[in-house]
Amino acid sequence: MNKIFWAADSTVQTNDFTTYPQTGIGQVFPLFVKNEYQIVNHAKNGRSTKSFMDEGRLKAIEEKIGAGDFLFIQFGHNDEKKEDPTRYTEPFSTYMENLETFIRVARDHSAYPVLITPLERRCFMDEKHLGIGAHSDYVAAMKQTAEKNNVPLVDLYSMSRMELKKAGEKNSRRWYMFFPEGEYKNHPEKSEDNTHLRYDGAVNFASLIAKGLKEIGGIYAEMLLDDLKL
């Protein structure tokens, strides 16, 4: 069975009922892939490329990844946190260098790396217009890394911005942890979280990644369900 390993942050992590209704993209991605592929989700809340490696999480992947497997690499939200030296990376130096380390781990084990640009936050300035957000330099740096290392890239950042603009400020709330007081029994307080996802958002943005893989084609499209309409 081919495995899809995921190295990423809270937007991708697998959640349990203690954090419900928060849902990660990696948690729902099995909806889009054939049964013979297994998702191994190492994504963890709050991690950057730096802290993920420093905590031995990439090492744990390296010990298990093998020929024919895939390594999905999706970071940016926490690499940009200048106030936290345990996570911060410079976009056009240390961030790119760290991404190349992830790529090498995959290739050294005859696995296939895939770079995925970070999901956009709900950074609306008004009902229709998104702000610039904080990801742009990291997106550009990841694209440069992909080109330099000849690695396929799924531009989730650009696709998610388009989805957010189309939905607008109010309609996009259902995708994120943005809801009124009392909506959830185990999360009774209101939430205005514009970063983390609920189930509908995770499925929507996972479908964009599937769409990107389908467009890349070849072995990256072969993992997806037949006749998948995206």
Side-chain angles (χ1 to χ4, degrees):
M1 179 179 282
N2 291 113
K3 294 182 176 66
I4 301 167
F5 289 83
W6 220 308
D9 55 35
S10 57
T11 61
V12 176
Q13 78 168 7
T14 297
N15 293 266
D16 56 30
F17 193 67
T18 62
T19 51
Y20 182 82
Q22 186 175 327
T23 308
I25 291 169
Q27 186 175 344
V28 301
F29 200 69
L31 294 171
F32 299 91
V33 299
K34 294 171 182 169
N35 288 334
E36 56 263 37
Y37 290 83
Q38 178 188 358
I39 309 295
V40 186
N41 193 4
H42 284 259
K44 193 68 177 172
N45 182 56
R47 271 53 179 191
S48 67
T49 55
K50 181 182 188 303
S51 62
F52 195 92
M53 290 193 295
D54 288 347
E55 293 173 5
R57 296 179 185 277
L58 181 57
K59 182 68 176 172
I61 292 174
E62 188 173 12
E63 290 170 356
K64 294 180 180 178
I65 199 167
D69 291 338
F70 296 82
L71 177 57
F72 289 2
I73 307 155
Q74 184 176 339
F75 290 99
H77 280 82
N78 300 298
D79 285 81
E80 65 199 26
K81 293 188 174 176
K82 278 189 175 181
E83 72 280 3
D84 186 352
T86 67
R87 294 188 285 179
Y88 178 67
T89 61
E90 290 280 353
F92 297 104
S93 59
T94 47
Y95 177 66
M96 294 178 71
E97 291 161 12
N98 291 349
L99 290 175
E100 289 184 335
T101 300
F102 283 80
I103 291 164
R104 278 196 303 275
V105 164
R107 287 180 166 166
D108 286 350
H109 292 81
S110 301
Y112 303 102
V114 178
L115 291 173
I116 303 172
T117 56
L119 174 72
E120 183 60 291
R121 294 186 173 96
R122 286 183 73 259
C123 51
F124 282 94
M125 297 184 296
D126 54 38
E127 168 58 28
K128 290 284 185 186
H129 299 94
L130 279 176
I132 296 171
H135 297 332
S136 52
D137 282 350
Y138 292 86
V139 172
M142 184 178 277
K143 287 180 178 179
Q144 287 182 28
T145 305
E147 187 174 354
K148 177 185 173 186
N149 293 275
N150 194 26
V151 174
L153 178 136
V154 174
D155 192 3
L156 177 61
Y157 170 78
S158 297
M159 289 189 287
S160 61
R161 282 185 66 86
M162 286 178 63
E163 285 288 291
L164 286 162
K165 288 176 184 177
K166 212 167 15 175
E169 194 278 327
K170 286 183 181 174
N171 287 335
S172 64
R173 292 178 185 183
R174 71 184 187 276
W175 295 336
Y176 290 76
M177 291 282 285
F178 196 113
F179 46 82
E181 181 181 351
E183 186 163 334
Y184 296 98
K185 185 178 179 180
N186 74 313
H187 197 313
E189 66 276 18
K190 81 169 183 177
S191 178
E192 295 186 351
D193 180 342
N194 294 313
T195 299
H196 301 103
L197 304 174
R198 287 188 275 176
Y199 184 81
D200 282 357
V203 171
N204 186 30
F205 296 126
S207 76
L208 298 181
I209 294 174
K211 181 181 178 182
L213 293 168
K214 192 173 183 179
E215 289 171 355
I216 293 167
I219 57 171
Y220 307 97
E222 286 170 11
M223 71 174 68
L224 302 172
L225 296 172
D226 295 328
D227 302 320
L228 194 60
K229 291 178 175 61
L230 298 166

